[in-house]
Amino acid sequence: QSALTQPPSASGSPGQSVTISCTGTSSDVGGYYFVSWYQQHPGKAPKLMMYEVSKRPSGVPDRFSGSKSGNTASLTVSGLQAEDEADYYCSSYAGSNTVLFGGGTKLTVL
Amino acid sequence: QVQLVESGGGVVQPGGSLRLSCAASGFTFSNYGMHWVRQVPGKGLEWVALIKYDGTDEYPGSVKGRFSLSRDNSKNTLSLQMNSLRPDDTAVYYCAKEGYGGYGCFDFWGQGTLVTVSS
């Protein structure tokens, strides 16, 4: 099993929208609606931002949204704010109780 | 509130063993799957182990046969026994609680414990 593919970097100006992609295969992203997204600030533990493709945990702003098409999932951050600058990781259930992560995307707010 | 506190990290020689622990509080521990996820400093996340509420465990190929996860529901603790350690096992190891029905969703994480495998 290989890691999911994410772009290494993404950027946008305050107030803009940015979308981060996460590409897998039919055995993981494409095969299940169990894609999650995590935000990680430097030196901190990851924080769950999205689960089951498009569901937001309590407390996550509705500026964050998720979607999936085929083998690619996406996280969109609208109305970018300075505090959104962080690393973002996707993960997907890959069957047989296993989980795959993406390589991570560094989001820069210009 | 949910708290996960890892301990047991440190420096170990290649081929050595180490046991990590995770103390959980703030939720009914016995009802949830628990995981370990590791991160090489400056790199991405890698799922390392799962133990379900019923004790079923699972590992990726990179650690299968070397790592073993157990849980003590009476003490709300999780233990990861790591044997035959290699330099590429060097990472921060996070304990994570399964949430929202499971299937790879981790809703709470500990702060991590650093494991360094080096001679």
Side-chain angles (χ1 to χ4, degrees):
Chain A
Q1 290 173 319
S2 300
L4 308 176
T5 300
Q6 295 181 234
S9 63
S11 63
S13 299
Q16 288 187 331
S17 293
V18 65
T19 297
I20 300 170
S21 63
C22 170
T23 301
T25 69
S26 58
S27 296
D28 37 71
V29 174
Y32 305 94
Y33 263 80
F34 298 121
V35 175
S36 302
W37 289 90
Y38 301 88
Q39 177 191 65
Q40 187 180 34
H41 287 108
K44 300 293 187 182
K47 174 188 175 184
L48 179 66
M49 303 299 285
M50 201 71 58
Y51 68 99
E52 290 179 17
V53 176
S54 59
K55 297 180 180 178
R56 277 189 312 275
S58 173
V60 173
D62 60 6
R63 302 184 293 103
F64 291 83
S65 61
S67 63
K68 190 184 82 154
S69 177
N71 296 337
T72 298
S74 298
L75 176 72
T76 297
V77 186
S78 305
L80 270 176
Q81 298 183 4
E83 60 261 35
D84 299 333
E85 184 162 298
D87 293 326
Y88 290 83
Y89 294 92
C90 64
S91 75
S92 174
Y93 182 69
S96 301
N97 294 318
T98 63
V99 180
L100 285 177
F101 279 97
T105 298
K106 182 177 181 62
L107 175 59
T108 301
V109 180
L110 301 171
Chain B
Q1 71 282 19
V2 173
Q3 279 198 316
L4 300 170
V5 180
E6 302 96 336
S7 60
V11 180
V12 60
Q13 292 190 336
S17 298
L18 207 58
R19 189 176 185 88
L20 304 184
S21 296
C22 173
S25 61
F27 65 103
T28 306
F29 181 74
S30 59
N31 287 354
Y32 291 91
M34 297 295 296
H35 298 253
W36 286 90
V37 176
R38 67 185 181 185
Q39 184 172 35
V40 174
K43 302 296 184 183
L45 301 168
E46 180 187 14
W47 171 73
V48 169
L50 152 71
I51 188 164
K52 297 177 73 174
Y53 69 96
D54 61 1
T56 304
D57 57 356
E58 195 65 61
Y59 311 87
S62 57
V63 307
K64 206 167 202 173
R66 300 189 299 122
F67 289 13
S68 178
L69 186 52
S70 60
R71 63 190 300 161
D72 185 336
N73 288 338
S74 67
K75 296 181 179 178
N76 290 355
T77 58
L78 195 64
S79 294
L80 181 67
Q81 178 66 40
M82 304 186 296
N83 299 327
S84 302
L85 283 163
R86 311 186 300 221
D88 62 358
D89 293 318
T90 294
V92 174
Y93 283 73
Y94 293 101
C95 168
K97 170 186 169 290
E98 199 163 76
Y100 297 101
Y103 295 106
C105 172
F106 313 121
D107 60 353
F108 288 96
W109 299 62
Q111 284 306 300
T113 186
L114 177 62
V115 172
T116 302
V117 184
S118 173
S119 54

